């Protein structure tokens, strides 16, 4: 592996790509300047301007347009120097040859992946059986007729569904008082549930018999602090948090069950409880839970019970994890007898005697055939589970059984694409729920149709004609407002189990479809750690809100908030997009979510939120213009999701977020640079991995500014890469121009009497002007400019004009002049107009190139290129990048990825060696269908 070659290509890609090398001066820095590494003194590896800990792995990011090399994996190896000092060495290899052979007939290559995988419905059955091994009594036994349904609910997303593209692992920990310390132990007990997705670990912690902890600390295998979370103040017994960007070394320790978690109180007597983070087979099926505590003070005892109902019978399965119940003098005994009781108040309903070992106190059992009273008390949170040792000095712990608690949100998006008979109506419904300990289910729902005739919570139907209605919400639905809010106080234990297993649905019947126009699955949405207000009704996103309205099968909703730093937090959920008739559970969304103003007459103040693949998107938008914040405050803003089929908007919703971010006067806003509008915390910017360091200052990803070295440049930060573009002045057709001292481009002036001629500053005396979102600057009335669109820079093919005091910006395509030559050429792909070619020049030798004008040739990697030459760049380990074309433009190397056309077909495929996806012919699809069916028979 030639590391110097790879580093050379990385530097070339960052310094010479089309998005990062439009500067004419070779001495100006384009890449982020290297700041003093915060990792000084630590052992690790430095690669591509980033620091990696020992044993970290990553895919190198070459920057746009190359992107992340998903088929190359780099590793920070541990090595020892001559004096025994621990050092890090980077090694990279191509991992494509290690890809496993997919077991399905038609594997697909998902975005962000190197290896092809089977579609969600084509998961290898052996893989499924292996993952379910050991879960005999938790498995759902599908009836034969469920596999051949033709209506829509046959492929609903269940909590047991397995997808190669989804990576989530759940863990649990029981936290009890420390008993081997000289300090008095605590009586507190906490139950923590963790979910690992990629490199983020979310946690939901409930606690009893202890004050509110001030911090949660994760300890590594050596007992050192790996992460600390300061808990917000409040009176809730729930702590929600996220540990983001886990190093790979800690991910491996987590998977090996080597991490511990501790919680400490700050008020009153300092108490500490701790526990080990472990995997457990019962987590994926758990729907009821109990935290077991002791009435003794400073006991250090506790435990949890994870419970679930059988899918077809009224059997209650449970697993106990016990801590501190077995005393030290009992550890010499091979078995310790215990008694487990199920109680209602003081009445013992069930009793089990068993033995546990001192070093493995986990215990699993089944309570069979619960009667109607026991099920009723279970649903109301009135059953108690008690564990007691049967020894000379018995000890016991107990706790109430309630529905499983977590920081996740129970919600549903209702769309016409998910109806029992799928359609495309452009409507949407949105709902979220809260389950109380006493079994009451609160709900809030909003619909996008005033013609609602029925609103019901239902089971998955066995047949289309036999819908199973559990609860009718229609009486609570207010037609004028399109909302419903209330509580369902008679939820049965079976239905709580199904609710937490994602097995319930909401059906919306309308005058157009009495069976159901909209339908949505009630699902848990994993806690994200964002400040989006999930306790409020989200913003419905529908095709009928798009201008003009779109008859789409999709629907969605979004939670949006603005924090005290004027950062926008958002979470978007989409459902019902182009669901196929095969076994695929969800169609994936390729789309862009954006936020902008509702006024259709203007396209200003629009910001890209994110591009995403899947059914969810979330994030924080930090750089928001004052104008856009005004629209959010007034309720004249929208969130819109666009797809390849509907690029002008698939679904949209109006957003109203009151905020106090408009704290400057209009004159101050006009004169201020965008980065100065908000007071930004430099320490916060340093922690952001996408921050750029330029001219001794930190700049946030996506921000724009005018550099100190030349005010006629505009710089932007794109993921640690600084891109500086010279201001491109439009061609003026007027006869009289002036060049203001503080402007980069000349301006037209009207013919007037010399006596009436004033200084150029006259143009800026008027407070009116136009604010353009691209460069985030005010433009004087009558001025013209080429629009700046990050990260692409100035767009030569468009010309914008500020129309007087109205503040309206009109942008038009540049009209190219007529040419007299027979074979005009486009000097570079970024140029707008073609030109007549210059006279052919003989190719320069290498020595001549070195002596030629420094701006007439380009150097990329180890090769030199003449002006107008184009080539495909080569990347070590990957070879020639045929989907990227680079060209030499007067001494500046520019690169661009091939632009793929928008496809409107339903069957899209990507052939080996091709840059763009293609429509798959129906004949090919028909030939594959019989093979697919045959593969499922074996």
């Amino acid at each position: 592996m030639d590391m110097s070659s790879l580093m050379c290509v990385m530097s070339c890609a960052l310094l010479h790509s089309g998005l990062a090398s439009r500067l004419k001066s070779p001495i100006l820095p384009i890449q982020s300047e290297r700041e003093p590494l915060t990792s000084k003194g630590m052992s690790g590896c430095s690669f591509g301007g980033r620091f990696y800990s020992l044993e970290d792995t990553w895919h190198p990011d070459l920057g746009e347009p190359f992107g992340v090399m998903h088929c190359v994996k780099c590793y920070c190896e541990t090595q020892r120097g001559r004096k025994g000092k621990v050092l890090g060495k980077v090694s990279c290899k191509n991992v494509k040859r290690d890809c496993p052979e997919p077991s399905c007939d038609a594997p697909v290559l998902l975005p962000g992946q190197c290896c092809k995988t089977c579609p969600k419905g084509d998961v290898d059955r052996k893989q499924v059986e292996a993952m379910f091994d050991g879960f005999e009594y938790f498995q759902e036994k599908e009836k034969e007729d469920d596999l051949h349904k033709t209506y829509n609910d046959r492929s609903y997303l269940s909590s047991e569904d397995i997808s190669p593209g989804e990576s989530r692992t759940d863990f649990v920990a029981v936290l009890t008082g420390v008993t081997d310390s000289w300090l008095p132990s605590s009586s507190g007990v906490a139950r923590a549930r963790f979910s690992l997705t990629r490199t983020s670990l979310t946690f939901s912690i409930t606690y009893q018999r202890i004050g509110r902890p001030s911090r949660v600390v994760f300890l590594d295998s050596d007992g050192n602090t790996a992460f600390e979370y300061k808990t917000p103040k409040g009176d809730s017994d729930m702590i929600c948090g996220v540990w983001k960007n886990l190093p790979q070394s800690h991910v491996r320790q987590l998977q090996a069950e080597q991490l511990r978690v501790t919680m400490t109180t700050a008020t009153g007597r300092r108490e500490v409880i701790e526990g080990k983070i472990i995997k457990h087979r019962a987590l994926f099926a758990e729907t009821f839970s109990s935290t077991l505590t002791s009435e003794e003070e400073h006991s250090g005892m506790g435990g949890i019970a994870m419970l679930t109902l059988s899918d077809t019978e009224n059997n209650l399965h449970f697993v106990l994890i016990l801590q501190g119940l077995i005393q030290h003098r009992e550890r010499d005994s091979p078995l310790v007898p215990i008694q487990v009781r199920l109680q209602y108040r003081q009445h013992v309903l069930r009793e089990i005697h068993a033995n546990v070992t001192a070093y493995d106190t986990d215990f699993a059992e089944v309570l069979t055939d619960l009667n109607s009273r026991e099920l009723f008390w279970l649903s109301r949170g009135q059953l108690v589970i008690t564990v007691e040792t049967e020894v000379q000095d018995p000890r016991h712990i107990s706790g109430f059984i309630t529905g499983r608690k977590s920081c996740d949100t129970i919600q549903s998006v209702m769309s016409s694409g998910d109806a029992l008979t799928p359609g495309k109506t452009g409507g949407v419904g949105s709902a979220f729920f809260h389950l109380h300990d006493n079994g009451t289910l609160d709900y809030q729902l909003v619909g996008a149709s005033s013609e609602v005739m029925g609103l019901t919570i239902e089971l998955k139907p066995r047949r289309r004609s036999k819908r199973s209605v559990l609860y009718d919400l229609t009486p609570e639905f207010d037609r004028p407002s399109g909302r419903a809010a209330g509580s369902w106080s008679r939820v049965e234990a079976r239905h709580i189990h199904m609710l937490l297993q994602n097995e319930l649905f909401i059906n919306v019947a309308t005058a157009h479809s009495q069976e159901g126009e909209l339908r949505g699955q009630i699902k848990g949405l994993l806690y994200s750690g964002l400040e989006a207000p999930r306790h409020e009704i989200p913003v419905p996103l529908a095709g009928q809100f798009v201008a003009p309205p779109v008859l789409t099968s999709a629907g969605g909703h979004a939670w949006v908030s603005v924090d005290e730093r004027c950062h926008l937090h958002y979470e978007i959920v989409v459902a019902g997009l182009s669901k196929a008739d095969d076994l695929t559970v969800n169609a994936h969304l390729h789309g862009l979510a954006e936020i902008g103003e509702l006024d259709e007459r203007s396209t200003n103040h629009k910001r890209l939120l994110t591009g995403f693949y899947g059914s969810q998107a979330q994030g924080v938008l930090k750089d928001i213009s004052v104008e856009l914040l005004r629209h959010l405050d007034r309720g004249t803003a929208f969130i819109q999701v666009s797809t390849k089929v509907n690029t002008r908007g698939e679904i949209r919703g109006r957003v109203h977020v009151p905020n106090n971010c408009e704290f400057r006067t209009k004159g101050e806003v006009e004169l201020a640079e965008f980065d100065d509008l908000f007071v930004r915390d430099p320490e916060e910017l340093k922690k952001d991995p996408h921050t750029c360091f330029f001219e001794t200052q930190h700049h946030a990803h996506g921000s724009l500014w005018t550099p100190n070295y030349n005010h006629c440049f505009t710089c932007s930060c794109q993921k640690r890469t600084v891109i500086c573009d010279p201001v491109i002045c439009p061609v003026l057709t007027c006869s009289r121009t002036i060049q203001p001292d503080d402007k980069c481009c000349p301006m037209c002036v009207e013919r007037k009497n010399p006596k009436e001629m004033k200084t150029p500053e006259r143009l800026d005396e008027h407070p009116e002007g136009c604010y353009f979102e691209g460069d985030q600057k005010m433009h004087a009335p009558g001025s013209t400019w080429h629009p700046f669109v990050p990260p692409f820079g100035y767009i030569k093919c468009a010309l914008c004009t500020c129309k007087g005091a109205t503040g309206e910006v009109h942008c038009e395509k540049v009209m190219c002049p007529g040419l007299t030559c027979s074979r005009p050429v486009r000097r570079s792909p970024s140029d707008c107009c073609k030109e007549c070619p210059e006279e052919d020049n003989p190719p320069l030798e290498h020595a001549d190139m070195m002596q030629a004008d420094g701006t007439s040739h380009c150097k990329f990697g180890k090769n030199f290129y003449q002006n107008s030459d184009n080539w495909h760049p080569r990347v070590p380990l990957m070879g020639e990048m045929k989907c990227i074309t680079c060209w030499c433009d007067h001494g500046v190397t520019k690169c661009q990825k091939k632009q793929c056309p928008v496809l409107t077909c339903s069957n899209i495929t990507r052939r080996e060696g091709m840059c763009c996806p293609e429509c798959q012919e129906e004949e090919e699809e028909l030939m594959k269908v019989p093979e697919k069916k045959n593969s499922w028979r074996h």
Side-chain angles (χ1 to χ4, degrees), residues 756-776:
E756 298 177 0
M757 292 294 292
K758 299 286 182 77
T759 58
E761 284 74 11
R762 167 84 183 203
L763 294 171
D764 292 332
E765 288 178 1
H766 302 286
E768 296 85 1
C770 303
Y771 178 84
F772 185 66
E773 179 70 20
D775 54 19
Q776 297 171 350

Side-chain angles (χ1 to χ4, degrees), residues 460-518:
K460 170 187 172 184
R462 292 303 181 185
R463 293 180 180 83
R464 184 189 301 176
S465 59
K466 291 186 178 181
R467 287 169 44 205
S468 302
V469 176
L470 295 182
Y471 187 58
D472 190 356
L473 309 179
T474 310
E476 283 76 30
F477 184 75
D478 181 60
R479 285 184 172 80
S481 65
R483 293 173 179 255
S487 297
W488 181 12
S489 60
R490 298 181 179 179
V491 185
E492 298 178 8
R494 168 69 54 196
H495 301 151
I496 293 176
H497 169 82
M498 300 182 77
L499 172 74
L500 298 177
Q501 286 286 81
N502 300 338
E503 295 175 359
L504 298 185
F505 299 82
I506 297 186
N507 199 74
V508 182
T510 64
H512 299 292
S513 177
Q514 296 185 4
E515 182 189 66
E517 178 184 322
L518 306 175

Side-chain angles (χ1 to χ4, degrees), residues 135-344:
F135 295 86
E136 305 86 83
Y137 53 81
F138 287 140
Q139 295 185 47
E140 177 181 2
K141 299 176 177 60
E142 288 283 355
K143 292 190 177 181
E144 192 68 25
D145 60 349
D146 285 346
L147 301 177
H148 305 286
K149 292 193 174 79
T150 57
Y151 57 88
N152 215 27
D153 274 352
R154 79 188 191 286
S155 58
Y156 74 97
L157 180 61
S158 163
S159 60
E160 292 90 354
D161 281 337
I162 298 171
S163 168
E166 295 174 0
S167 177
R168 170 178 169 177
T169 309
D170 291 333
F171 302 84
V172 70
V174 183
L175 285 72
T176 56
V178 181
T179 57
D180 55 359
S181 170
W182 62 271
L183 292 170
S185 184
S186 171
S187 300
V189 181
R191 173 249 169 77
R193 181 171 180 136
F194 309 88
S195 294
L196 177 66
T197 54
R198 297 185 180 177
T199 59
S200 293
L201 186 70
T202 64
F203 49 90
S204 304
I205 304 176
T206 57
Y207 55 92
Q208 295 183 23
R209 301 212 63 194
I210 188 175
R212 183 161 180 85
S214 60
R215 58 196 177 111
V216 179
V217 179
F218 291 80
L219 305 176
D220 62 15
S221 56
D222 296 325
N224 300 318
T225 298
F227 175 72
E228 181 173 325
Y229 175 77
K230 293 184 178 179
T231 60
K233 295 181 180 179
D235 54 2
S236 170
D237 63 349
M238 176 81 73
I239 297 174
C240 307
V242 181
W243 178 5
K244 295 183 178 180
N245 302 320
L246 270 76
Q248 283 299 315
S249 57
H250 289 146
V251 172
R252 286 191 287 270
Q253 290 183 23
L254 177 67
Q255 299 281 10
E257 301 183 352
Q258 295 175 346
L259 294 185
R260 299 184 68 84
V261 60
T262 71
M263 296 201 309
T264 307
T265 60
T267 58
R269 184 175 69 87
R270 182 177 179 271
E271 294 185 71
V272 180
I273 57 176
E274 70 171 65
K276 184 180 181 181
I277 303 176
I278 63 171
K279 298 177 185 177
H280 206 286
R281 61 174 188 165
L283 281 170
F284 91 100
E286 178 193 19
T287 50
F288 295 91
S289 64
S290 178
T291 301
L292 311 179
T293 63
S294 170
E295 295 179 357
E296 297 180 25
E297 291 296 328
H298 317 306
S299 65
M301 290 188 297
I304 63 171
M306 294 180 283
L307 308 96
T308 189
L309 284 174
S310 296
D311 290 313
T312 55
E313 299 175 342
N314 293 328
N315 299 335
L316 185 65
H317 305 262
F318 67 89
V319 174
L320 300 175
I321 302 179
L322 310 174
Q323 296 286 350
L325 192 64
I326 309 300
Q327 294 182 321
H328 287 284
R329 63 175 179 268
E330 298 165 355
R331 293 183 179 272
D332 297 332
S333 304
L335 296 174
V336 178
I338 63 170
Q339 180 188 79
V340 182
R341 297 190 299 269
L342 188 69
Q343 297 176 247
Y344 171 68

Side-chain angles (χ1 to χ4, degrees), residues 18 111 326 376 450 468 476 626-627 669 711 839 846 871 890 897 909 929 932:
I326 309 300
F376 174 80
S450 60
S468 302
E476 283 76 30
V626 172
E627 283 296 320
V669 171
H711 76 279
E839 294 183 2
H846 181 268
W871 66 93
H890 292 79
K897 186 178 290 186
T909 184
V929 170
K932 228 175 195 182

Side-chain angles (χ1 to χ4, degrees), residues 354-501:
N355 294 318
V356 296
T357 64
Y359 298 96
D360 185 12
T361 55
D362 287 16
F363 175 73
E365 190 53 85
V366 182
L367 301 175
T368 59
D369 298 325
L370 267 64
N371 58 42
S372 58
R373 288 186 305 166
E374 292 170 333
L375 289 170
F376 174 80
W377 292 327
L378 175 64
S379 68
R380 296 297 182 267
Q382 296 175 344
L383 289 184
V384 174
I385 187 167
T386 301
V387 183
E388 185 173 356
T389 58
E390 296 184 307
V391 294
Q392 185 176 2
D393 184 16
R395 314 176 85 197
H396 78 273
I397 52 178
S398 62
F400 284 94
I401 302 173
T402 64
R404 185 190 70 220
K405 298 179 182 179
S406 77
C407 300
D408 301 347
T409 300
I410 305 174
Q411 51 85 51
S412 178
V413 175
M414 290 145 273
S415 67
S416 55
D418 286 334
L420 292 178
T421 303
K424 293 185 177 182
T425 66
V428 71
S430 172
F432 75 97
F433 305 83
H434 177 70
L435 181 66
H436 294 272
D437 289 349
N438 64 1
T440 299
L441 183 67
D442 293 341
Y443 58 85
Q444 293 194 55
L445 181 145
V446 60
S449 174
S450 60
E451 301 180 76
V452 174
M453 307 298 294
L455 193 60
T456 52
I457 296 179
E458 302 182 358
L459 301 176
K460 170 187 172 184
R462 292 303 181 185
R463 293 180 180 83
R464 184 189 301 176
S465 59
K466 291 186 178 181
R467 287 169 44 205
S468 302
V469 176
L470 295 182
Y471 187 58
D472 190 356
L473 309 179
T474 310
E476 283 76 30
F477 184 75
D478 181 60
R479 285 184 172 80
S481 65
R483 293 173 179 255
S487 297
W488 181 12
S489 60
R490 298 181 179 179
V491 185
E492 298 178 8
R494 168 69 54 196
H495 301 151
I496 293 176
H497 169 82
M498 300 182 77
L499 172 74
L500 298 177
Q501 286 286 81

